Amino acid sequence: QSSGANRMRFNRDEPNQQNLEIVAHARMNVDGVWIAPHLLNDHLQSTGELSYKFSEKFHSGDVGKTLGALHDLGKGREDWQVYFRKKTGYDNHGRVENKVRTVEHSIYGAKYAIENFSLLGEILSYSIAGHHSGLPDWSSEETGRASLKYRLSKPVDIHSVKSGLINNLNLPKTLSAPRKFERYLDLSLWIRMLFSSLVDADFLDTESYMNPKKTQLRANNANLAELLDHFDKYIQGKEENSSDILVNRMRREVRRKCVDSADSPMGVFSLTVPTGGGKTLSSLAFALNHAVKHNLDRIIYVIPFTSIIEQNADVFRNAIGKDNVVEHHSNISEENENDRTKLASENWDAPVIVTTSVQFFESLFASRPSRCRKLHNIVNSVIILDEAQLLPVDYLEPILKTMKLLVKYYNVSIVLSTATQPALKEHEIAGDVFPGFESITEIMGDKVSEFYDKLDRVVVHLPEDLNSPKQWKELSEELIRYPQVLCIVSDRKSCRELYHLMPEGTVHLSALMCGAHRSRKIKEIKDKLDKHEPVRVISTQLIEAGVDIDFPVVYRSLAGLDSIAQAAGRCNREGLGEEPGQVFVFKSPRRTPAGILRKAEATLQDIISDIRPNLFDSSSFERFFSELYWKANSLDSEKIMELLSKNLNISFKTASNRFKIIDDSIQKTILVRYGDESEQLIEDLRYSEHNRTLMRKLQRYAVNIYNKEFEDLLGKGLIEEIKEGVYALSSGLNYSDEIGLILDEVLYEPEKYILQ
C-alpha cells in the first residue's frame, strides 16, 4: 500500500520490536483477515492536507495543516505501537488483551507544537491535546486534572517519537496567525474553527480507511447555482398556479424584493415581513441568490423549535429537491433521511442545512469533537435565523459577538427573519451600549410599514384592565361559541386546566406530548381547517412561532408583544375571510412562569399606553425589545464571555458545559409509549446495544420533564431504566392520546383504564 518513508519501521536493535510498521489504524476484511494497515505517516499527511483545505477558507491553511500533521504524533512511539497491537490483536496472532493499560498519545503533538512554535504553539496545543476528548480548559477547578495546564505539566519525552516520522512530515519552520485578534471571543472562536478543521479531517481520513463505502456516499453534492435554477422553476410554477389574491400578490412582491437585494455586499440583513407574508420561501430566495453572487458554499437555516422544523424543511425539499436538504435536530423522522444525508448531518457538508437554535448555538460554543466538527462548514455561508426574536436573552451577548465575528472574519452573511424584529442593532440602554450589530440592512427597505398595513388581516382586542384575570370557566364558555378557535396560554398546567373545561373533540397541544404525537395532531388540525370542519385547540406557545396554521379566531393570554404578534399570525393567515380575523388578549388566572416570559409580559404592560394605537408597528417592537433587554438580569448569565476571553487562559470545556439553551440540569428526558413503533423501539433498545440509530429514532418519542416530576414518576414505579441513564414509561397507561404524558394524579380518569 505504501513504500519508502511511508513504510518506516522501528530500528532493528530495539528489543522485541523488529520490523514493526508505524501504524495508525488497522482493520479486518469481512473474512476476518487483516488488510494492509493505515500507516501513521499516511494518516498524518492526509489529515494535514484535509485540515489545510478546511482552514484555508478562513486564511489559516498552514496552521490547519500543521495541526493535522501533529495530532497523532504520539502514536509514533514504541510503547503506543505495542499498546495498539495488544489492544487490537493486530500483528499479535489475533490475540486481544482487553486489560492493557491505555497509553497517552495526543499530548506529544501538543508538546512538540509548544517547543517549536512558541506562543502560536500554545494555541495549537488546545486542539492537538483535545482532538479525542474535546477542547480543554487551560486551568479550572471544574476540570482539574483534565485541564491542559495539568496535562502539559507532566514530563513528556518528545524524542521517544521516531525522528524519521517527524522529519518526513515537512513541518514549517515558522507559523503565523492570520491577523491580530480582537479583545473578546475572537481568539477562542479561531481556535474552535481550527479544532473543527482538524477533527473533521481526522474523522474523514480515518473513515476513508476504516469504511471506504461511507466516503463514497459523501461525494457529489449539488452546487448552489444548480439549486437556484431548480428553485426558480419551482417558484415559476407555484406563481402560475396561485390565485390572484392580496396575500399572494404581497408574497410575490416580498420574493422579488429578496431577489433584488441579494446582490448587496455581504453582511447582516433583516427580513421584516408580517406573519403569512411568505418569509420561508422568500428568505431562501435571498439566500440562494446571495450565495451564488458571492460564491458561497451553503445555506444554514436555523429554526427555534422542532415543532416547526419539519414543516419548513418540507417546503425547502419541494423547492430544491429532497437530497439537497439535510435536517439536523433531535426530532427528525426516518423518512426524511437517507444514508448520505445522515452522514452529511455529522459535519454539515451539504448545500442546505436545516437545524435548530439549540443545535446551532450550542455547537458554536461546544468543546466536544462531534459537536465542533461541523463549525468550519459555517464559513462561506448564509445563515438565516428564523424567528430571530427568540434568540435566548440569557446568552445574547456571546451569541451576538460571535455572530459579528463570523460576518467579519469568516465570510458569513446573516439574515434575521421575523415578523417581530428584535432590537439587535447596537444602541444605548440606560447608559450602557447594547452589544448588537453595527449595521443591519433591511431587505424590504422602506416598504416594511406599507406591507404591514396591506397585510393587516386581524383586529386585536386588548382588555381595558391588564391586571384583571379572566377565570378559566368564563374563558371556556367564550371559546365554545366559536366552531374554529385557537387559544394559546403560557404554560402547560394552564393548558391542561383549560382543556379539561372544553367539550369533547377539543385538541390539546403541549411539550408534554412527544414530537411524533404533536406532528400528528397539527396535521389533523390543518385537515379540519382545510375542510372547514369544527376544531377548537388549546395550546402552549409552541404553536405560535412559525407553525403554518390559519384560524379565524385566536385567543392569547397576556404575554410579551412578540408573543401576541406571533399568536395573531395564526389568525386569518391567508386573508381569505371576508371579515378580518379576531384576536382576543386576556389576563390568565395563573401567573406567567418566572423568568423571561414574566419579564416580557411586564414590559408590555409598562409600555402599552404608548404603543396601543400602533401595536404591531416596527417602532413598537424596537421599544419593546429595548426595554426587555434592559430588564434582563444579564445578557450573559453564565459568564461565557469571561470564560472565553482571557488571552490564552481559555476555559473551553467549562463554557461548553454552561452554554445550555435548554438547561438539562433541571430536567430529565424520558421515552414515552405512543403507538406501536415506540413500543417496539423501546423494547429493541432494552435488549440490544445502546446504539445511535435506535436513539435517533426514539427522539420522536421523547418528552422533557422537570427533575421533581421525574423523581415522582420514578418513586411511583411509573418509569423504568431500560438502559443505563435511559428511562421510559413502564406502560402506556401514563400516556394519553389527548394530552400526552400524565403527571398530576388529579388528571387521571380511572374509568378509562378499567379493563373490559
Side-chain angles (χ1 to χ4, degrees), residues 210-228:
M210 299 296 291
N211 195 337
K213 288 184 179 179
K214 278 189 176 183
T215 299
Q216 293 169 6
L217 274 175
R218 291 183 186 275
N220 303 319
N221 279 334
N223 64 53
L224 291 177
E226 294 170 334
L227 299 194
L228 177 57

Side-chain angles (χ1 to χ4, degrees), residues 72 116 128 205 249 311 356 378 386 398 446 456 515 680 693:
D72 273 352
N116 288 271
I128 298 170
D205 186 63
R249 290 197 297 273
Q311 164 192 293
T356 60
I378 293 175
D386 190 37
D446 57 6
D456 186 8
Q680 186 60 54
T693 301

Side-chain angles (χ1 to χ4, degrees), residues 537-569:
V537 178
I538 312 298
S539 177
T540 59
Q541 62 266 35
L542 69 86
I543 201 171
E544 68 187 12
V547 178
D548 187 5
I549 207 160
D550 189 357
F551 279 85
V553 180
V554 171
Y555 277 67
R556 180 53 164 108
S557 64
L558 185 62
L561 181 62
D562 56 329
S563 296
I564 291 172
Q566 292 295 337

Side-chain angles (χ1 to χ4, degrees), residues 332-462:
I332 186 170
S333 60
E334 196 171 27
E335 64 189 41
N336 291 327
E337 283 192 305
N338 57 43
D339 290 339
R340 193 166 69 85
T341 59
K342 284 178 186 176
L343 290 172
S345 70
E346 295 173 356
N347 64 350
W348 287 6
D349 186 14
V352 177
I353 304 293
V354 183
T355 190
T356 60
S357 298
V358 171
Q359 178 66 241
F360 182 78
F361 291 116
E362 290 190 0
S363 293
L364 266 181
F365 294 91
S367 64
R368 288 190 292 115
S370 58
R371 294 295 295 270
C372 288
R373 183 179 173 185
K374 65 182 79 74
L375 294 187
H376 72 89
N377 277 327
I378 293 175
V379 181
N380 297 341
S381 69
V382 181
I383 300 170
I384 302 170
L385 299 180
D386 190 37
E387 306 298 351
Q389 79 282 357
L390 293 173
L391 289 175
V393 175
D394 284 347
Y395 300 102
L396 205 51
E397 184 175 7
I399 283 175
L400 291 178
K401 288 195 171 175
T402 300
M403 299 301 280
K404 288 162 73 172
L405 291 169
L406 290 176
V407 172
K408 191 171 183 178
Y409 297 118
Y410 297 93
N411 210 36
V412 166
S413 279
I414 294 170
V415 181
L416 308 169
S417 176
T418 177
T420 56
Q421 202 63 243
L424 295 182
K425 194 172 179 180
E426 191 175 279
H427 62 279
E428 193 172 292
I429 304 179
D432 292 327
V433 177
F434 176 76
F437 299 108
E438 283 86 357
S439 64
I440 301 175
T441 302
E442 173 54 55
I443 292 173
M444 299 306 299
D446 57 6
K447 293 274 189 180
V448 173
S449 296
E450 178 186 333
F451 271 70
Y452 272 80
D453 290 340
K454 287 182 178 179
L455 288 175
D456 186 8
R457 295 152 296 180
V458 301
V459 175
V460 180
H461 304 273
L462 292 170

Side-chain angles (χ1 to χ4, degrees), residues 53-223:
K53 174 185 172 185
F54 299 152
S55 52
E56 183 59 19
K57 295 183 297 184
F58 50 96
H59 313 294
S60 306
D62 287 341
V63 181
K65 185 174 184 177
T66 302
L67 283 173
L70 292 178
H71 80 288
D72 273 352
L73 195 65
K75 290 184 177 180
R77 293 164 25 257
E78 179 181 340
D79 59 346
W80 193 90
Q81 291 289 310
V82 171
Y83 153 76
F84 173 77
R85 284 160 168 76
K86 288 180 177 179
K87 187 71 175 175
T88 63
Y90 176 72
D91 252 18
N92 194 28
H93 306 290
R95 293 194 300 273
V96 176
E97 298 183 25
N98 292 319
K99 293 186 178 181
V100 62
R101 186 168 62 88
T102 301
V103 176
E104 165 76 282
H105 75 272
S106 60
I107 204 65
Y108 286 82
K111 276 275 196 178
Y112 183 92
I114 291 172
E115 290 181 8
N116 288 271
F117 300 111
S118 187
L119 187 61
L120 195 57
E122 291 186 43
I123 293 173
L124 269 60
S125 69
Y126 279 101
S127 296
I128 298 170
H131 74 271
H132 285 303
S133 56
L135 283 169
D137 291 355
W138 171 254
S139 176
S140 76
E141 293 181 4
E142 293 190 30
T143 55
R145 293 190 174 191
S147 72
L148 184 57
K149 181 180 179 181
Y150 178 83
R151 291 178 65 195
L152 289 171
S153 71
K154 296 193 295 184
V156 169
D157 181 12
I158 293 295
H159 299 292
S160 64
V161 177
K162 299 305 165 182
S163 59
L165 175 66
I166 295 175
N167 294 337
N168 201 58
L169 294 176
N170 295 317
L171 294 166
K173 299 292 185 188
T174 60
L175 283 175
S176 60
R179 62 181 182 278
K180 183 178 179 179
F181 295 104
E182 296 181 15
R183 183 179 177 189
Y184 297 113
L185 297 184
D186 191 7
L187 177 60
S188 61
L189 179 59
W190 185 62
I191 293 173
R192 277 202 303 279
M193 284 294 185
L194 288 169
F195 182 63
S196 170
S197 300
L198 168 62
V199 295
D200 194 29
D202 187 20
F203 272 116
L204 291 173
D205 186 63
T206 302
E207 179 184 273
S208 69
Y209 169 77
M210 299 296 291
N211 195 337
K213 288 184 179 179
K214 278 189 176 183
T215 299
Q216 293 169 6
L217 274 175
R218 291 183 186 275
N220 303 319
N221 279 334
N223 64 53

